[in-house]
Amino acid sequence: MMPLLETGLFRGSTKYFRLDLFDKNGNRIAINPANLFLDLYMPNGSVITYNSGFEVQSDGGVIRAVSIDDLAPKGVWKAVWRYTDNFGNTWREEVAFIVSDPKEG
């Protein structure tokens, strides 16, 4: 499956990534943040892994704020959510996004 390409963000800015999981019947899966990871793959091959700082939303989704440094590499990045529930079932969701310099003006 090709990752979705989401609108990018600028160096020096913050983006909120959101995860919603559903079972095969369309029922929302309650996410336990203790079993959740968010990996950011940069164009230079580096990876940043987050395993804390997740905020469970009232509708059951989870968000994580990610700040992009002023000197972060420009180009296509990939955000990958990894989740394993208490029964050993695993989910992996990914989205690509572009990091660029802030626009002047």
Side-chain angles (χ1 to χ4, degrees), residues 23 25-26 40 62 64 68 77 80 82 84 90 92 94:
D23 67 15
N25 297 318
L40 295 184
V62 174
R64 174 63 161 89
I68 303 298
W77 290 41
V80 179
R82 296 181 289 124
T84 302
T90 60
R92 178 184 163 101
E94 64 182 65

Side-chain angles (χ1 to χ4, degrees), residues 43-54:
N44 66 4
S46 299
V47 180
I48 301 170
T49 298
Y50 298 95
N51 61 0
S52 63
F54 302 113

Side-chain angles (χ1 to χ4, degrees), residues 21 29-32 35 83-91:
L21 294 177
I29 294 169
I31 299 171
N32 177 355
N35 301 337
Y83 180 67
T84 302
D85 68 12
N86 295 333
F87 303 103
N89 300 307
T90 60
W91 288 264

Side-chain angles (χ1 to χ4, degrees), residues 19-85:
L19 177 65
D20 294 288
L21 294 177
F22 299 90
D23 67 15
K24 63 183 180 183
N25 297 318
N27 300 311
R28 181 177 292 279
I29 294 169
I31 299 171
N32 177 355
N35 301 337
L36 184 61
F37 296 89
L38 175 61
D39 299 321
L40 295 184
Y41 293 88
M42 295 181 252
N44 66 4
S46 299
V47 180
I48 301 170
T49 298
Y50 298 95
N51 61 0
S52 63
F54 302 113
E55 300 175 35
V56 177
Q57 302 300 289
S58 60
D59 64 2
V62 174
I63 62 171
R64 174 63 161 89
V66 173
S67 295
I68 303 298
D69 188 84
D70 291 335
L71 301 175
K74 294 185 291 185
V76 178
W77 290 41
K78 185 168 56 172
V80 179
W81 289 98
R82 296 181 289 124
Y83 180 67
T84 302
D85 68 12

